Amino acid sequence: MVAFGKKLKDRQIEEWQGYYINYKLMKKKVKQYARHVETGCYERRYVLKDFSRMLDNQIEKIVLFLLEQQGILGSRIAKLAEQQEMLQTELDLPRIASLQESYRDIGRDLLKLLYFVEINAIGLRKILKKFDKRLGYRFTDYYVKTRANHPYSQLQQIFEHVGLGAVVGAISRNLAELDDLQGSYLSIYDQPARPLQDPVVDAIRAAVDRLSHSTSFLTYLGKHALIIHEELPTPNEENVDDQRYDFMSLLLNLVNTFLYMVNTYIIVPTADDYSMSLGAAATVCGVVIGAMAVAQIFSSVYFSAWSNKSYFKPLVFSSIVLFVGNVMYALAYDFDSITVLLLGRLFCGLGSARAVNRRYISDCVPLKIRMQASAGFVSASALGMACGPAIAGLLQVKFKIYRITINQNTIPGWVMAVAWVFYLIWLSISFKEPAHLSQPNHVPEYNTSLASDNLENGATQPLLVDNVDEDQECDMSEEPPKDSHAPVNSICAAYKLLTPSVKVQLFIYFMLKYATEILLAESSVITSYYFKWTTSKVSIFLVCLGLTVIPVNMIVGINLSNMFEDRQILLASEIMVCLGIVASFHIIGPYTVTQYVISGLVMFVSAEVLEGVNLSLLSRVMSSRLSRGTFNGGLLSTEAGTIARVIADATITLGGYGGESRLLNATLLPSLSICILAIIATCLTYNSQY
């Protein structure tokens, strides 16, 4: 990971260098404090007072410069407004164009000022985090709380930036009035729904939104897509070329995500019956379901590599392979072959284009709507997971067309085959291939910036992120490694970039995917054995679980994330997953529907909360080098989750050798063990940071 000090130095505006936070000096001061505290030369109270004074001075320097620049921008706007007033009585088109360009110049200077504020805010958060880590204090909490609501607080100026908002409003209003000067009698205040179509204003709004947005459902949900971004922005990296973006192409990627998730879960309610009809044990459903995940381990890599050169061709190939796989799955009944059934599922897994869907969002969607697109990716996945079992529950039919049998076991394959044919036709007609540059690993520079995650809720929670690993930072004088911004070119190189905290987060992701796959994949076998449930009842149960995904994330994104730190929600969710697993065991007495449903719901909902927080943390702590190229952060998380599903499905099949009466406890025991290990790893990781 490139040192933050080096990034800060490289991204500074030369003429403003003296006004940035002196990160190098403060980092050396923290090291000095740590050394003297260990030897007993400094008392704790002296260290806190001295460091607080230094921080106050740094913030005052930043704020005073900020106010000075705001005043300069305000004076320039006032002078232009005087000239603009003269145009109200005399229409002069060349003069209007000149004034518009002058306002845009002010807007470009305002963008520089917004980047100045953002970079300083990130530096402030990092140095506070480093102080807490090196000295073992909870100084961040003290400093933010004492400065946040004080009437003379200058910290508020950085995170509230009221003056900057006024400048943004003045530029937007005056550009809109100049645009409408040729006949309209309405102002932008009379037409709030009509946005001003100006690239400079759009760039300013995107920067302000990133700097000032508080935690919301959309932001929280969007992080589930795990699209890793650069931490420090520069003005010319702000926008992806709009020519690369096409709404219909984005929609087709989201539909691909939805259909693939439907394809994954549509067979779950009937997989055990299908296996038995072909002469296999009911628990072979674990292999049938998991075959798709096995193939996905490999398909994710080649699709990710393919997306470096094209998006359209991988999606076409995906659709064809999925069509073939579903036809094979459906025909396995008439061939009376479990081999054909498994091959059909393997083909379906080989058609997994989720890596392409994720890459299209990160590469081709403009920054200003990338969070919405990421949230759409997650929502499409959740809806597909819910719709799959629902469709299976509705398709309770039995008839023949010539020699082809159509029943509840085969019809999921036929339905998905038809769906992929229609999707392929739509794709061929409507998809617009974006221009790819010549570099094989090129991804356009972009920044959703982790600063936005760290500036949540103004000044109340901007600096409380406790999960960022600072060990890899170095002094600004140190030279970064060669190709420090280049994407990695192998899975081994990507693994070397993972810090211990990232590895723990990936293990947590593995754990929650393993636990949920056990619950979902064996549901038809368990409920059939204990409760004699039909396919329709199993489908209803799975649909109810799937429908909890978006509401749960809404609650966490809007409420819990504003009340608690992410690491607190993370640990609490792990404990709740563990309790849900424990409550699912069949130990004594009859196993009841109430016990199964409630324990399963607790475990699944807690796992969804855990997944959201975990991926949110991952999106912050992964190296920015994993934001691009074949072996990106999204691929690593996908592989971790897919491997977990494969192992879970294999566990179900192996557990079936002990008989269906022992299957439940045999599969829950590994889940419980992995969950306990994840809790221990979480506690050790976060305790080591304080």
Side-chain angles (χ1 to χ4, degrees), residues 180-208:
D180 291 340
L181 198 58
Q182 301 182 38
S184 174
Y185 295 95
L186 298 175
S187 73
I188 61 170
Y189 302 110
D190 300 315
Q191 300 170 296
R194 197 199 73 175
L196 174 63
Q197 301 296 324
D198 190 285
V200 174
V201 174
D202 287 342
I204 292 172
R205 286 173 177 169
V208 171

Side-chain angles (χ1 to χ4, degrees), residues 323-337:
F323 168 77
V324 173
N326 281 290
V327 170
M328 292 177 67
Y329 180 86
L331 290 176
Y333 187 89
D334 293 304
F335 282 107
D336 193 24
S337 172

Side-chain angles (χ1 to χ4, degrees), residues 265-267 269-270 386-397 408 411-412 534-540 542-543:
Y265 289 98
I266 194 172
I267 72 157
T270 58
C387 289
I391 294 171
L394 295 173
L395 300 176
Q396 302 299 303
V397 296
Q408 67 172 13
I411 197 169
T534 63
T535 299
S536 297
K537 289 184 178 180
V538 177
S539 300
I540 292 172
L542 295 176
V543 169

